[in-house]
Each structure stands twice: as C-alpha cells, then as structure tokens.
Amino acid sequence: MHNTSGLTSSLTWAFEQNDDKITLRLTGALSRKTLLPLWEQRYSFLSADKIARQQVIWELADLTRIDSAGFALLCDFLHHCQTQAQMQIIQNAPEQFLTLADLLGLSKWIDPFLQQNGKN
C-alpha cells in the first residue's frame, strides 16, 4: 500500500492480483493535491505485462473525494487499459465521480465500465 502525505486529504492505494483479475483499491481523496505519487507509480500496476488479458477492477468504495484532476487521472488509466485489459469494471463509483462524468460529457464513455458491475 502506498500513501501520500497530508492528514486531511490523503490517498492510499492497494494493488491485488488473483489469477486473471487485478483489483486497484483507492482509499481517501483522489485530487490534484494527492494524485502525483499514484501517477508516478502507475506503471508498477498498469504495465502492459501486468494487465494483458486481465480483468481490471477499479474499487472506489473507499474514495472519500474526487475532483476534476482525480477524475481526469482515473479516465486516463481507464483509457490506457482499454486496449490491453480483457475487461474493466468500476466498482462502487462515488456520486462525485458520476457527477463529474456528467459535467464533462463523459457519461456515455464511462457507462460501459459501470454497467459491467450492474450499475447504470
């Protein structure tokens, strides 16, 4: 698990791989102030070797806050994995995430990832 500094707005993440499934669990605030360490270490969990033919699950249940910069980063990760991963699922997307998708006109692009999880 990794952690950014700061008491009130921190981000931690955990990467788990089981058979053909990879889960990236984000906890805390995904924002302009917290995303740099995650961005810098992205290839440790999103390299072509790791995600090839894998189901990638983005677990967002413990995400307490997401701003437009955090949303953009997550969208960049989703886009990066689209051509290499077998499938991607966003689990437990917070309301802020869905609102940002609406505001930025990306709901139709995000929906298939949510629908895989039984959400619309």
Side-chain angles (χ1 to χ4, degrees):
M1 187 174 285
H2 305 279
N3 191 2
T4 62
S5 60
L7 298 174
T8 57
S9 61
S10 65
L11 174 69
T12 59
W13 63 92
F15 170 82
E16 304 161 12
Q17 183 161 10
N18 299 316
D19 300 323
D20 61 348
K21 179 171 70 172
I22 294 171
T23 302
L24 184 67
R25 189 174 316 279
L26 300 175
T27 303
L30 180 57
S31 70
R32 175 182 53 84
K33 294 180 180 177
T34 64
L35 62 76
L36 187 58
L38 181 61
W39 170 257
E40 290 173 339
Q41 296 181 34
R42 68 194 178 281
Y43 291 116
S44 68
F45 53 86
L46 292 180
S47 67
D49 307 2
K50 291 196 191 246
I51 64 171
R53 297 175 300 283
Q54 299 287 309
Q55 179 180 359
V56 177
I57 299 173
W58 302 92
E59 176 53 68
L60 306 182
D62 297 322
L63 204 58
T64 57
R65 181 166 114 52
I66 184 168
D67 68 6
S68 58
F71 179 82
L73 179 66
L74 193 50
C75 287
D76 185 63
F77 288 169
L78 288 165
H79 183 262
H80 170 78
C81 293
Q82 269 187 307
T83 58
Q84 299 162 14
Q86 178 186 23
M87 177 191 313
Q88 294 185 84
I89 298 171
I90 297 173
Q91 288 185 322
N92 303 305
E95 198 60 40
Q96 282 181 317
F97 178 86
L98 301 174
T99 300
L100 285 166
D102 283 341
L103 290 172
L104 297 170
L106 292 173
S107 291
K108 288 187 192 268
W109 182 71
I110 293 289
D111 278 350
F113 302 116
L114 300 172
Q115 290 171 347
Q116 296 287 346
N117 193 31
K119 292 186 177 184
N120 291 319

